[in-house]
């Protein structure tokens, strides 16, 4: 999602809409199927920010509801600077870390689901492109130690790097892998992302092919891509280009995964609440199931308590995607 600043978008009056009543038995097409949970990355123009004013942690009741519907994976967005302030080689902010670990432990330990740890920083730290890869490795070693023994945690190196200039996205991702493994976190998957907002449709053309040479001694790398279905792929419109735009936009990335013997995941996808977008999302997921030898899953953007009437909100009980897209998605899980 191409947001420069994630602002608090709270609706003061929400319509009472009936929640989906059908719980679909998981077809187990995918290893990971779920949603992004936002809140802790909000107010990113105000760092460190104030809890429950600039940012919040999503409610555990949402996890209860969505796990009950059959979802098993939740990508938890947060800010690098709030967890380890001032410098990437610094010490942890214990209050923020407590919120993160409490939420993650609820997802993994209480509900038995998977939590994807997502520093939602766009390849930046305090707004500056991360060029000190040794410091980034240190940040990840400190962070991964919080979850080193939790096998239901996945480490997402960094959300949507873009406009990186001369800085190597490859080196950034390798530093993440090295930092996580140095923390003793050896059993968990690592999601790596590419430049150009990690778009699936631009994965090859943007030059992300070199990420195929990343090295993980545990061989548990999954390539995370994002795909929206509006005209510029930014996820800022309710419109979808066509009913088949989903499969069309991930074909080249699918071919790359197959050619390089890699596994991928759509870490973000969404469409607006209209017939064409419903067809496009159905087309996207149908194509992914047909190619589940390389696609491990998909995560809808986005959940979280502060989205209000946001066009893609999947927050129970009345988010537009919760009532209109979740029933469509569940048969593909």
């Amino acid at each position: 999602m191409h947001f420069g600043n994630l602002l608090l978008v709270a609706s003061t009056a929400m319509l009472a809409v009936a929640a989906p009543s059908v719980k679909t038995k998981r077809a187990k097409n995918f290893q990971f199927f779920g949603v992004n949970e936002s809140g802790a990355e909000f107010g990113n123009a105000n760092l460190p920010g104030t809890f429950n004013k600039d940012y919040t942690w999503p409610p555990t009741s949402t996890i209860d509801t969505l796990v009950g519907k059959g979802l098993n994976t939740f990508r938890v967005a947060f800010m690098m600077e709030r967890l380890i302030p001032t410098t990437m080689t610094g010490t942890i902010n214990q209050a923020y870390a407590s919120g993160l670990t409490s939420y993650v432990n609820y997802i993994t330990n209480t509900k038995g689901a998977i939590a994807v740890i997502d520093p939602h920083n766009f390849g930046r730290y305090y707004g500056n492109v991360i060029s000190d890869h040794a410091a980034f490795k240190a940040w990840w070693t400190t962070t991964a130690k919080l979850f080193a023994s939790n096998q239901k945690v996945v480490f997402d190196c960094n959300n949507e790097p873009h406009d990186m200039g001369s800085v190597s996205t490859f080196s950034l991702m390798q530093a993440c892998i090295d930092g996580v493994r140095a923390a003793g976190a050896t059993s968990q998957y690592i999601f790596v992302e590419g430049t150009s907002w990690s778009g699936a449709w631009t994965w090859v053309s943007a030059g992300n092919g070199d990420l195929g040479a990343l090295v993980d001694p545990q061989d548990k790398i999954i390539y995370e891509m994002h795909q929206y279905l509006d005209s510029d792929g930014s996820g800022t419109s309710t419109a979808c280009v066509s009913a088949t735009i989903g499969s069309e936009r991930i074909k080249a990335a699918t071919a790359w995964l197959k050619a390089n013997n890699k596994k991928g995941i759509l870490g973000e996808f969404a469409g607006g609440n209209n017939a064409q977008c419903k067809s496009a999302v159905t087309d996207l997921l149908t194509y992914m199931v047909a190619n589940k030898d390389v696609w491990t899953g998909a995560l809808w953007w986005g959940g979280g308590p502060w989205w209000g009437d946001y066009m893609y909100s999947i927050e129970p009980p009345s988010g537009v995607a919760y009532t209109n897209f979740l029933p469509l998605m569940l048969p593909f899980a």
Side-chain angles (χ1 to χ4, degrees), residues 168-189:
S168 167
T169 304
F170 176 94
S171 297
L172 189 72
M173 296 298 127
Q174 189 64 60
C176 163
I177 295 166
D178 295 344
V180 168
R181 299 311 184 207
T186 58
S187 63
Q188 299 94 336
Y189 287 99

Side-chain angles (χ1 to χ4, degrees), residues 72-91:
N72 76 337
T73 305
F74 302 90
R75 183 170 178 250
V76 182
F78 67 99
M79 295 302 296
M80 292 176 63
E81 301 89 344
R82 288 182 176 141
L83 185 64
I84 303 178
T86 308
T87 174
M88 288 185 285
T89 57
T91 56

Side-chain angles (χ1 to χ4, degrees), residues 140-320:
W140 261 116
T141 297
T142 303
T143 299
K145 283 179 179 178
L146 296 172
F147 306 103
S149 63
N150 191 333
Q151 296 187 12
K152 288 188 175 292
V153 163
V154 173
F155 301 104
D156 182 346
C157 285
N158 216 261
N159 179 69
E160 294 187 348
H162 66 92
D163 300 296
M164 300 293 283
S166 62
V167 173
S168 167
T169 304
F170 176 94
S171 297
L172 189 72
M173 296 298 127
Q174 189 64 60
C176 163
I177 295 166
D178 295 344
V180 168
R181 299 311 184 207
T186 58
S187 63
Q188 299 94 336
Y189 287 99
I190 297 176
F191 289 177
V192 299
E193 300 196 32
T195 193
S196 191
W197 310 90
S198 211
W201 68 326
T202 57
W203 186 262
V204 176
S205 62
N208 287 317
D210 67 338
L211 299 184
L214 289 168
V215 175
D216 174 22
Q218 305 303 317
D219 194 25
K220 301 197 81 170
I221 295 173
I222 294 179
Y223 291 79
E224 180 182 330
M225 306 178 196
H226 299 173
Q227 193 57 67
Y228 294 95
L229 309 175
D230 47 354
S231 60
D232 61 358
S234 64
T236 55
S237 169
T238 58
C240 293
V241 172
S242 72
T244 57
I245 193 62
S247 62
E248 291 166 11
R249 283 192 171 165
I250 68 168
K251 280 182 179 177
T254 302
W256 182 86
L257 291 168
K258 288 176 182 285
N260 290 277
N261 196 28
K262 304 299 183 183
K263 300 289 187 180
I265 184 171
L266 278 191
E268 295 182 17
F269 76 103
N273 183 29
N274 55 70
Q276 182 146 292
C277 283
K278 288 180 179 178
S279 294
V281 168
T282 300
D283 170 68
L284 173 71
L285 295 175
T286 299
Y287 184 82
M288 291 181 71
V289 168
N291 292 278
K292 62 184 179 182
D293 57 318
V294 293
W295 289 110
T296 63
L299 310 176
W300 181 272
W301 178 276
W306 282 3
W307 283 123
D309 61 358
Y310 174 54
M311 62 184 174
Y312 299 151
S313 174
I314 200 165
E315 189 70 8
S318 55
V320 64

